[in-house]
Amino acid sequence: MIESVIFDMDGVLVDTEPVHFMSYQEVLRGHGIEITENQYNRHWIRDGKGIREFIQERELDLNANQIRAQKRRLYQEKLRTGLQIFPGAREVLGALSANYPLALATSSYREETELILDLMGARDCFKAIITCEEVTKVNYSRLKSGAFHDDGFK
């Protein structure tokens, strides 16, 4: 019997990856650095790396924290003007939250998560919201092996 439902946000409820890419592309361009969508996808998505590694690998004279802050401001601005909510996402959340406690587990930052949920009108649907800032350690070997299915969520 279903007792609760846990959602991811990015790629499930909203399509934020193009906004991340455009934000990094614009910020980096302001520093004279071009990045293609393929380069972004390979570095950030496929390899799971971030701006710090991007700067280090290319031996750029940039401060990762400053670039990240510039990107964050631009990203939030772009979300406010063009958040892509997947069709049916609001309706599903509304219907499920009427019958089950919902939780959101996302690798996004809390500030951005709350902004997205507010823009969706969906923050009140969730009883719990866990962001990357609340997670201190991930056991990737257990995730990859599927071991979490044996004893997870009990």
Side-chain angles (χ1 to χ4, degrees):
M1 178 176 183
I2 297 174
E3 295 182 26
S4 62
V5 181
I6 302 171
F7 280 89
D8 187 9
M9 184 176 68
D10 303 296
V12 175
L13 301 174
V14 293
D15 189 12
T16 56
E17 208 58 58
V19 184
H20 282 290
F21 163 64
M22 289 184 293
S23 300
Y24 267 125
Q25 185 182 47
E26 192 171 324
V27 168
L28 290 168
R29 185 175 289 138
H31 293 276
I33 299 153
E34 290 295 327
I35 182 170
T36 67
E37 190 170 3
N38 283 340
Q39 289 170 319
Y40 173 86
N41 289 339
R42 187 173 44 254
H43 181 84
W44 270 269
I45 298 171
R46 189 192 74 194
D47 296 344
K49 297 177 183 176
I51 191 63
R52 187 172 312 283
E53 293 91 352
F54 183 86
I55 291 168
Q56 289 171 345
E57 289 171 6
R58 288 157 182 79
E59 299 179 354
L60 301 172
D61 187 24
L62 297 172
N63 180 293
N65 291 332
Q66 290 175 349
I67 298 295
R68 191 177 294 115
Q70 291 171 357
K71 181 264 183 180
R72 190 176 216 172
R73 284 190 297 275
L74 186 58
Y75 174 73
Q76 290 177 5
E77 179 182 310
K78 289 181 180 299
L79 287 176
R80 286 185 183 91
T81 59
L83 175 64
Q84 296 297 310
I85 303 167
F86 284 124
R90 286 186 185 116
E91 295 79 8
V92 166
L93 292 175
L96 286 173
S97 67
N99 297 298
Y100 303 100
L102 304 184
L104 182 73
T106 178
S107 61
S108 293
Y109 291 97
R110 178 156 297 272
E111 181 180 358
E112 294 163 356
T113 299
E114 291 177 353
L115 172 62
I116 289 168
L117 292 177
D118 288 344
L119 291 169
M120 289 182 69
R123 193 194 299 208
D124 292 341
C125 293
F126 294 98
K127 301 288 184 199
I129 299 169
I130 305 298
T131 68
C132 65
E133 293 154 306
E134 284 91 32
V135 177
T136 57
K137 183 178 178 184
V138 176
N139 186 335
Y140 289 104
S141 62
R142 286 194 74 209
L143 288 174
K144 288 179 182 178
S145 72
F148 68 94
H149 290 291
D150 297 334
D151 61 357
F153 306 112
K154 289 185 180 177

